[in-house]
Amino acid sequence: MGSCSHVNELGEIGQVEYCERVRAVLQSAAGDYPATALQLELRTTPAPDASGFGGQVTTPDWTAFPTRVAGCLTRSRALTMLDRLPTANSIGGRALQEEYAEWRVVRDGEDIVRVELTTELPDYWRTLARHQPQRLLELVTELSRADAIDPAAVFGELDFERTDPDGREAAFAAAMLDPERASAYNDGRLGICCMVHPSNGAAALASLIAAAAVPREVGAAAGPRAPSIAELARDLGSAVQAGRASDPVIAERVAQLAHDGATLSLSRPLGVHIASVQHTRLRTPAGESVPQNWFHLSRFAGGGGPARPQRLTLEVPPEAGFAVSDLVDVATEQPLRRGGEVARLVQLATSLDVLPSTSRPTRMRVPAGAPERSSWACETLRTFADRMERA
Amino acid sequence: MSADEQPSTGKLQPGIAFAEGKRPAACFRLLLLDFADQITPAQARDALAAVMEMLEGLGRGQVRELTDQPPAGAANSAQQFRSLQTLLAYGRPAFSEQGPLPHVTRPHGLSSLSHPSPAFPALPWHASATTNTGEAAIALQLTADNAAAVNCAAIEVWKLIIDRALPLTVAGSFDGFGRPDGRGWLEFHDGVSNLEAGQRPAAIVAGPDPAWMDGGTYLAFLRIRIDLSRWSTVSRVEQKLTIGRDKLTGAGLTDVVTDQSGQEQPRMGDPAPEPDSPRWRDPAQTLDPHLEVSHIHRANQTRASGWAPGALRIFRQGFDYLEHFTAEGPELGLNFISFQRDLGVLHDLLHLPGWLGDSNFGGTSDSDPTDRPLLTLAAGGLYAVPPTERPFPTAGLFRP
């Protein structure tokens, strides 16, 4: 039996507790949709069914670049906004990084020294804070490339060694996970450890999948079919956001499987991982291809299944003599100037275990149709961006 | 148009067969033009206006040299050119500092294709492609139901340039034809998994970024040479697995089983979907690892709708070509023509590992560099297709 998260990092009690935490998240999500085909247990693949038929895996993938933000604000404005660091008066660009990946850009003057991107869930880090606070501090130090860090930056003024797990989790969440007032070690100024956007947590992912996993069908002349995002969005409400790269792809995939009668389970470990990188898009100033290993992958989530990287760092080796911002994307013919341009090269995925069925499920009928006007909520996004810029 | 409004196809130029039930024209010619050195915006505008006015007249049967021909002759000309459609597009060179549009915002993704290094990691240049002849400032896509219309139209453009000393040069020309049987050179169905008609506008129509492209689209042209002699050595089962479809019916394969002799046998579902049903045309994302690396799945891994921006959907209308025969066999291939709301989608498709970024056509990653690729790139270019405008698309941008 694999773990629900990383191997050997949470400790035995932490592992058990994290599995319970994930189970509670799934239970809550599934509870909102009683007809969902989403099972409550995470699986290590393949999961045999009663007949001995092996389960299969589906891995919908999407770009880490927030397509809705670019569509609503224009690409150029979005790229600028997404990289904004928070100030005393203004929330940073992380508030717009809504594709289950968040990043920060490390600069030396105008040069980009490196770009760090993470898909790690805050839920996991909460558990780490509860049971392995020392390891957590080491990890924050390591990921921030600091010599040492003041525990107060991670736990506030709390004496974390003398506090119970509940107190530590609360202190950690207050210091590191508040999207509006996170510590410099997780808001991008000095580091980025895990995601903080409210849409990027385990609950949002589970809710999206549970909602989409209700068997539905759309009547069509050629016979009933699974719904598209246009049709799902009306039913799923706030569980899905049209216009994103992630939500529609995940929702349509899950809806198709549920329509076909499959039973779904989230793969261990729960979450989103980095599936691939378009390193072939980048050229050095001399016009040479960029080696794949300049994109360093780490924080592999195992859980008994295939290792899945949750962190990516793009960095040019010092001996190369130039910066990340000197690399040119052949698709734009422009040097990299923003973190979003790197995010565009990164493909994310989540894995679901699928037990196909030969029986037809009872399906909810949904009306056919195109997307409703304003389904991307651009006006809200523009107002938010205007406020950020004014602050 | 805002990103959260339904895209309208009302401003798309003609020559894109996106409407329900419409098939691409039978005949195709892509005519590439370059501007003369030191051309001014006014000169460029006047030259393009003259070309487009002439082509518009041609569509009504008005051949310049045959003005005042007898009524029967005029009727014949009108018949020949009746189906002619012209689409005007702008390539990367149009936006160079020396070109007539240096002050116009070049759309994101409208780039030159790398050469001689591969433009896309798994699609090498053909050995004969010593330069890329597929990229120019202007592309005119000429389509019609007969070869005379598209070929004569191309020649009429050349004659107009010569007769009026227009500051344009013909940079290249590529021909092609559509197949009524819906198949390609590999004899498999081609283009059947294109988007459902209702979803096509969302995949095709560009937004206002930059503003001058609002309601237009982007065209990708890849003249892809197919090594048919290599394909003919591949067993039928392997062909089906490589494509992901049944060769005879075109049905998408659903899984692969190993028979008693240990051979892998692809299946089409039980029961197989009805021909022309949505599932037949566009099979769902596969759960079978053999089929996940097949061409139809690599080209469209998520199988999601055109309304899902992350699905990387494009609208294709391909035209085959046959150049000639050599001692080694026929030199032929496909004019891959796609329309998309954003050229970044095409770059993603052709660079992403797991999609078409690490496989020349289908199958597992191409790890053996000595393997002879089935597909090579003979020429190619990326183009902006602005919305319709009188006297021609983007005429208003050629400001002195």
Side-chain angles (χ1 to χ4, degrees), chain A residues 141-159:
Chain A
T141 309
E142 176 191 326
L143 297 179
S144 308
R145 301 192 186 184
D147 294 330
I149 59 168
D150 179 357
V154 176
F155 290 107
E157 295 308 316
L158 184 86
D159 183 351

Side-chain angles (χ1 to χ4, degrees), chain A residues 75 252-253 256 333 344, chain B residues 112 209 279 285 305 348:
Chain A
R75 181 174 176 277
E252 286 196 17
R253 179 65 184 135
Q256 177 72 58
E333 298 180 8
R344 178 65 195 248
Chain B
S112 283
D209 190 8
R279 186 58 73 87
Q285 187 173 3
S305 70
D348 289 342

Side-chain angles (χ1 to χ4, degrees), chain A residues 56-63 67 70-72 74-76 222 225 228-231 243-245 248-249 252-253 256-257 259-260 276-278 280-281 283 330-334 344-345 347 354 356 369-379 382, chain B residues 2-6 92 106 108-114 117-119 121 196 198-199 208-209 276-279 284-289 292 301-312 342-345 347-355 357:
Chain A
Q56 294 167 302
V57 182
T58 188
T59 310
D61 61 327
W62 64 92
T63 176
T67 53
C72 293
T74 74
R75 181 174 176 277
S76 163
R225 59 166 173 80
S228 70
I229 183 62
E231 293 136 356
R244 283 184 184 160
V249 163
E252 286 196 17
R253 179 65 184 135
Q256 177 72 58
L257 289 162
H259 169 273
D260 294 348
S276 62
V277 182
Q278 299 181 54
T280 54
R281 288 256 295 258
R283 297 282 186 276
V330 294
T332 62
E333 298 180 8
Q334 297 294 316
R344 178 65 195 248
L345 306 178
Q347 200 74 354
V354 183
E372 289 177 345
R373 185 181 163 84
S374 305
S375 60
W376 287 29
C378 278
E379 205 47 55
R382 287 189 200 106
Chain B
S2 173
D4 54 357
E5 289 176 23
Q6 275 304 294
R92 174 67 180 87
R106 176 167 59 91
H108 159 70
L110 182 56
S111 54
S112 283
L113 298 185
S114 304
S117 61
E196 282 186 40
Q199 297 173 19
D209 190 8
D276 275 332
S277 66
R279 186 58 73 87
Q285 187 173 3
T286 183
L287 293 168
D288 188 299
E292 193 176 20
Q301 279 289 11
T302 69
R303 321 297 297 178
S305 70
W307 293 306
L312 307 180
D342 175 358
L343 283 167
V345 171
H347 287 291
D348 289 342
L349 265 177
L350 293 172
H351 278 276
L352 270 172
W355 294 61

Side-chain angles (χ1 to χ4, degrees), chain B residues 197-283:
Chain B
Q199 297 173 19
R200 290 175 188 171
I204 295 173
V205 181
D209 190 8
W212 63 271
M213 280 298 295
D214 193 7
T217 184
Y218 296 94
L219 180 155
F221 160 62
L222 301 176
R223 190 157 166 105
I224 296 172
R225 183 76 70 89
I226 300 172
D227 188 343
L228 206 54
S229 56
R230 183 182 172 214
W231 182 247
S232 64
T233 65
V234 179
S235 73
R236 179 166 287 220
V237 167
E238 201 57 37
Q239 287 185 357
K240 288 199 275 189
L241 285 170
T242 302
I243 299 267
R245 287 192 186 282
D246 180 64
K247 193 165 190 173
L248 297 180
T249 66
L253 305 176
T254 55
D255 58 357
V256 180
V257 294
T258 304
D259 67 16
Q260 289 178 331
S261 65
Q263 297 294 308
E264 288 179 333
Q265 295 294 344
R267 298 194 303 186
M268 292 176 285
D270 184 20
E274 287 290 315
D276 275 332
S277 66
R279 186 58 73 87
W280 178 85
R281 191 183 311 119
D282 197 4

